[in-house]
Amino acid sequence: MPSTTTPRLGAHRTPAARLGVQVVHDLVSAIVTGEVAPGDLLPTETELCENFGVSRTVIRESMKRLEEKGMVSVVQGRGTQIAPQSEWNILDKVVLGTMIENDETLGILDELAVVRGQLESSIAAAAAGARSDDELLIIHGHLDTMHATAEQREAFAAADVAFHFAVMDVAGDRLASGIARSLSKRAGESSRYYGAPGPDAVRLTLDEHQRVYDAIEAGDAEAAAREMRDHIALAWERRRIRD
C-alpha cells in the first residue's frame, strides 16, 4: 500500500514569478533524495498549497512539470504517485542537476564521465572521417584560445567546451551530439564537477586536446576515438575530489 508523505518543504518564500520553479525544484529534490520514495503518494493538492503557500494553479502546473519529467504519475482515484527512477527523464535540466547536487558519493558524475567518454569517442571518430580544412581551422582556433587563456580559469573552461562542441558540429551526429552537449552543460553547472584538478591539469588538458586534434586532422578515426575517450576519463580523474 503506497504511503502518503509530506515533504518538509516550502518553509522559505520566493517572488511570485518563481514560485512554480521553486515548487518543482523542491519536489524534485525530495524525490531524488528519497524523502518521498517510488510508490509513495504525494500530499493532496490542498495540502501542497498549504505546505508551499501557493495557489492551486501553481501546484497544478508544478504537477504537470513533474509528469513531463517522468517523476510522477496520476493514479485515478488515488492521487499522484512517485514513479520509479527508471522512468525519470534523466537528461532533464532540473532532474540531472538535482541528482548531481544531492549525490554525496559523486557516483552520478562518475557515470556521466563514462557516458560522455563513450558518446564523444564515437563523435570524434565520425569527425575524423568528415572534417574539412575549414572545420579543422575552427577546431584548432578553439585549441589556440585554450593556450592563450591557460591562466584564466573561466575563459579556458569556455574554450575547452567550445573545442568539444566544434568536434560535435563536424561529426554531424545530431542525437549523440545533443545528448553529449546536454550532459556537458548539466555537469558544468555544478562546482563539484570542476573539483580539485591539481597543478598540472592545464598542461595535461592541452596535451590531450592536441592529441585529439591531431588524430582528427590525420583522419584517423580509431585514434580520435581513443584519444577523446582517454581525455574525458583522465580529466575527470584529475578533478574528482577524493574522500
Side-chain angles (χ1 to χ4, degrees):
M1 179 81 176
S3 61
T4 302
T5 306
T6 303
R8 298 184 300 278
L9 306 167
H12 54 279
R13 291 292 177 264
T14 57
R18 289 189 54 79
L19 283 174
V21 173
Q22 191 63 55
V23 170
V24 171
H25 178 272
D26 286 1
L27 287 171
V28 169
S29 294
I31 296 169
V32 165
T33 59
E35 188 176 335
V36 285
D40 284 352
L41 296 174
L42 282 177
T44 65
E45 189 176 277
T46 299
E47 291 171 327
L48 287 172
C49 287
E50 294 175 354
N51 189 46
F52 286 102
V54 298
S55 68
R56 290 181 180 273
T57 298
V58 170
I59 292 301
R60 288 169 184 167
E61 288 300 314
S62 298
M63 291 303 104
K64 289 179 183 177
R65 300 291 84 79
L66 289 177
E67 280 191 273
E68 291 170 357
K69 298 176 191 303
M71 303 196 85
V72 301
S73 59
V74 177
V75 181
Q76 193 66 33
R78 296 172 65 188
T80 303
Q81 189 171 47
I82 307 303
Q85 191 177 81
S86 60
E87 296 182 11
W88 300 355
N89 178 6
I90 300 295
L91 294 180
D92 178 88
K93 178 178 180 178
V94 177
V95 177
L96 182 55
T98 305
M99 291 176 73
I100 293 172
E101 174 187 327
N102 289 279
D103 181 25
E104 296 301 325
T105 68
L106 299 183
I108 293 298
L109 287 173
D110 287 338
E111 293 178 27
L112 188 149
V114 171
V115 175
R116 269 197 67 204
Q118 293 170 340
L119 285 171
E120 292 201 43
S121 66
S122 67
I123 289 168
R131 82 284 182 273
S132 67
D133 290 343
D134 287 344
E135 289 167 333
L136 286 172
L137 284 173
I138 292 172
I139 297 172
H140 200 278
H142 295 305
L143 184 56
D144 288 340
T145 302
M146 290 176 68
H147 280 280
T149 59
E151 297 182 2
Q152 304 169 42
R153 179 174 176 175
E154 291 187 7
F156 182 82
D160 187 334
V161 171
F163 177 97
H164 285 262
F165 285 4
V167 173
M168 294 176 196
D169 290 340
V170 174
D173 188 331
R174 291 176 296 178
L175 183 57
S177 294
I179 295 172
R181 283 176 188 265
S182 180
L183 292 175
S184 178
K185 288 177 181 177
R186 296 295 80 76
E189 291 166 356
S190 170
S191 61
R192 304 169 78 194
Y193 178 69
Y194 295 100
D200 295 328
V202 170
R203 176 182 60 81
L204 293 170
T205 297
L206 286 169
D207 290 345
E208 290 160 10
H209 280 76
Q210 183 67 56
R211 289 196 290 273
V212 171
Y213 174 81
D214 289 344
I216 292 174
E217 181 187 37
D220 189 336
E222 183 177 345
R226 181 183 64 251
E227 296 296 348
M228 182 65 85
R229 182 171 53 249
D230 289 350
H231 158 60
I232 291 174
L234 291 169
W236 172 237
E237 184 67 21
R238 285 193 294 271
R239 295 192 305 271
R240 196 184 195 284
I241 297 175
R242 302 297 174 184
D243 294 335

